[in-house]
């Protein structure tokens, strides 16, 4: 725990626990919807509701994170998650959960996740010394990768018994996070703003647009997320042509999670040793090369390794961008700038599976992946141009650090 401090580890423990529970619920919600009458469209509606909740709450969440105590926001958001999942578990125990309830719950859970993300990001900045930020952010990425693997495995095992257990366990993980947040010192809050909420929300987007690096980082995240969201559709379609299709899907999906875990470990030295734009462009080029290999090599194990390689670059990009963003953003804009970048990154990513499906049907799997490789390669070249022509990033320093007021009792 040396260097990061007790507040960070409380935050990390609470959010890590709830992340695993949420990953389990993410597979349980559409499965429960599907089992209502066997209509796959109902499962799709639940997944869409979750994405809509995430995107719709993203910009308002940044405004809230900049105006209110982050500890209180984290505490309340996790408490709402606890209540939502407990109610869903009780309803499931009494019989089939109506589709409108599932859709509403997915929408609200997406909004809770969006509210937690900027509040946690700004709290990390308050709790962690500047020189330790890359390490802290890499640990957050590690948590996400572990949740991607452990959550679905746990959710699948509990679903085999009863879906109500998935929701009950997820409620318990949210409750664990509530306890951890209650033990935190105050995350501080920026000075109040007189701007109208809508104008305040777009202030973060304006800040991102004025910075060449952050502007490039937002475009980069948008395209890379779109590609990765469509990649699973390609993996499933490709596996359908092999002898052991279902096994191949499981192995290659796990490879994405394993690659993300390895990438989170590489992110710290990358963030510390490489200039931000160079780090992002290099990791993006690695994704392009891995996708090119995935498209041209038809051996299952080679494809699996290349998928893991591509996935390993994602956390590097995230940590490098987040470290630079926190450094250059004034304290009163931290939540809104974080929300602005993530809003842009997620706004079109739900289209990835649909675009991949239509492209694979019209052009074939290999041309689809090759097109994605070329697109990401162009993105890497644009990043190299940003390196050459953009001004250097200068870390922002507030006149005084935000006080950490310890709440007792």
């Amino acid at each position: 725990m040396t260097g990061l401090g007790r507040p960070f580890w409380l935050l990390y423990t609470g959010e890590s626990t709830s992340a695993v529970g949420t990953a389990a619920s993410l597979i349980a919600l559409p499965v429960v919807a599907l089992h209502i009458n066997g209509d796959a469209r109902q499962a799709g509606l639940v997944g869409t509701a979750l994405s809509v909740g995430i995107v719709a709450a993203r910009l308002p969440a940044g405004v809230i994170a900049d105006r209110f105590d982050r500890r209180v926001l984290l505490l309340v958001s996790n408490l709402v998650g606890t209540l939502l999942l407990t109610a869903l578990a009780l309803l499931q125990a009494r019989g089939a959960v109506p589709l409108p309830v599932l859709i509403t719950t997915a929408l609200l859970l997406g909004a809770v996740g969006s509210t937690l993300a900027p509040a946690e990001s700004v709290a990390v900045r308050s709790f962690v010394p500047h020189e330790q930020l890359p390490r802290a952010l890499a640990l957050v990425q590690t948590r996400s990768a572990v949740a991607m693997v452990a959550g679905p495995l746990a959710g699948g095992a509990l679903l085999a018994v009863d879906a109500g257990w998935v929701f009950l366990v997820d409620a318990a993980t949210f409750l664990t996070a509530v306890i951890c947040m209650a033990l935190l010192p105050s995350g501080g809050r920026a000075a109040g703003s007189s701007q109208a909420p809508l104008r305040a929300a777009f202030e973060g987007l304006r800040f991102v647009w004025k910075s060449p690096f952050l502007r490039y980082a937002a475009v980069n995240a948008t395209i890379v997320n779109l590609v990765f969201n469509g990649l699973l559709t390609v993996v499933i379609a490709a596996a359908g042509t092999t002898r052991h299709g279902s096994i191949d899907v499981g192995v290659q999906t796990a490879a994405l999670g394993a690659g993300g875990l390895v990438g989170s470990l590489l992110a710290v030295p990358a963030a510390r040793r490489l200039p931000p734009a160079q780090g992002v462009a290099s990791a993006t080029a690695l994704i392009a090369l891995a996708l090119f290999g995935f498209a041209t090599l038809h051996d299952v194990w080679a494809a699996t390794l290349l998928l893991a390689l591509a996935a390993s670059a994602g956390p590097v990009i995230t940590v490098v961008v987040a470290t630079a963003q926190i450094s250059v953003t004034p304290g009163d804009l931290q939540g809104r700038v974080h929300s602005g970048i993530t809003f842009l990154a997620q706004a079109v990513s739900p289209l990835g599976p649909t675009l991949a499906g239509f492209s694979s049907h019209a052009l074939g799997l290999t041309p689809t992946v090759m097109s994605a490789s070329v697109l990401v390669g162009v993105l890497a070249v644009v990043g190299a141009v940003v390196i050459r022509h953009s001004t250097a990033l200068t870390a922002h320093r507030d006149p005084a650090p935000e006080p950490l007021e310890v709440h007792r009792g």
Side-chain angles (χ1 to χ4, degrees):
M1 295 188 183
T2 303
L4 294 176
R6 180 175 177 270
F8 170 79
W9 288 107
L10 282 169
L11 179 66
Y12 181 79
T13 300
E15 293 306 308
S16 296
T17 305
S18 66
V20 174
T22 299
S25 288
L26 291 184
I27 67 167
L29 284 166
V31 168
V32 171
L34 179 65
H35 287 171
I36 292 176
N37 60 11
D39 191 337
R41 291 174 297 180
Q42 297 187 165
L45 283 172
V46 170
T48 298
L50 182 75
S51 296
V52 169
I54 292 172
V55 174
R58 183 61 76 186
L59 292 180
V63 177
I64 293 170
D66 283 335
R67 291 190 175 183
F68 297 96
D69 187 298
R70 288 94 196 215
R71 171 184 172 273
V72 173
L73 288 176
L74 292 164
L75 186 63
V76 171
S77 297
N78 281 293
L79 183 58
V80 170
T82 303
L83 296 175
L84 283 172
L85 271 302
T86 301
L88 195 58
L90 292 174
L91 286 173
Q92 181 67 24
R94 297 182 62 182
V97 181
L99 181 63
V101 173
L102 289 172
I103 291 175
T104 302
T105 302
L107 184 73
L108 292 175
L109 284 175
V112 166
S114 263
T115 304
L116 283 168
E120 181 186 11
S121 175
V122 182
V124 168
R125 177 181 181 271
S126 300
F127 295 143
V128 176
H130 181 78
E131 64 275 8
Q132 292 288 342
L133 278 175
R135 182 185 171 200
L137 294 169
L139 282 169
V140 173
Q141 287 299 303
T142 302
R143 175 191 78 197
S144 300
V146 170
M148 278 180 61
V149 177
L153 289 176
L158 291 170
L159 271 172
V161 181
D162 188 274
W165 283 106
V166 181
F167 304 136
L168 188 62
V169 169
D170 193 9
T173 65
F174 270 108
L175 182 59
T176 300
V178 169
I179 295 170
C180 290
M181 300 311 117
L183 297 173
L184 282 175
S186 170
R189 64 178 178 180
S193 172
S194 59
Q195 288 181 315
L198 184 61
R199 183 175 180 181
F202 282 95
E203 191 66 29
L205 290 174
R206 281 193 288 270
F207 186 90
V208 171
W209 187 253
K210 289 178 182 178
S211 165
F213 171 73
L214 292 181
R215 186 165 65 236
Y216 167 69
V219 173
N220 182 292
T222 300
I223 294 176
V224 169
N225 278 357
L226 184 70
V227 168
F228 271 104
N229 272 18
L231 197 56
L232 184 58
T233 300
V234 173
V235 167
I236 293 172
T241 64
T242 65
R243 182 179 177 183
H244 304 289
S246 59
I247 296 175
D248 292 344
V249 169
V251 169
Q252 293 183 353
T253 303
L256 290 171
L261 183 58
V262 172
S264 65
L265 301 176
L266 299 174
V268 177
R272 286 177 174 169
R273 296 176 185 176
L274 295 176
Q278 183 181 342
V280 174
S282 300
T284 304
L286 180 62
I287 295 173
L289 291 173
L291 290 177
F292 180 83
F294 180 76
T296 54
L297 297 177
H298 300 292
D299 178 77
V300 171
W301 292 109
T304 300
L305 180 61
L306 288 164
L307 282 174
L309 186 63
S312 70
V316 174
I317 294 174
T318 300
V319 171
V320 170
V321 170
T323 302
Q325 177 259 304
I326 289 173
S327 298
V328 302
T329 305
D332 62 342
L333 278 175
Q334 285 286 335
R336 282 169 286 174
V337 171
H338 176 276
S339 289
I341 292 176
T342 52
F343 171 79
L344 294 172
Q346 295 169 346
V348 299
S349 62
L351 297 176
T354 301
L355 291 175
F358 276 95
S359 178
S360 297
H361 179 76
L363 304 176
L365 294 174
T366 297
T368 295
V369 181
M370 287 293 291
S371 299
S373 173
V374 170
L375 179 61
V376 176
V378 170
L379 194 62
V381 172
V382 172
V385 173
V386 170
I387 296 169
R388 186 174 301 174
H389 297 291
S390 68
T391 56
L393 288 168
T394 303
H396 177 87
R397 291 287 183 269
D398 292 326
E402 294 175 342
L404 301 184
E405 302 171 2
V406 179
H407 290 247
R408 301 187 181 276

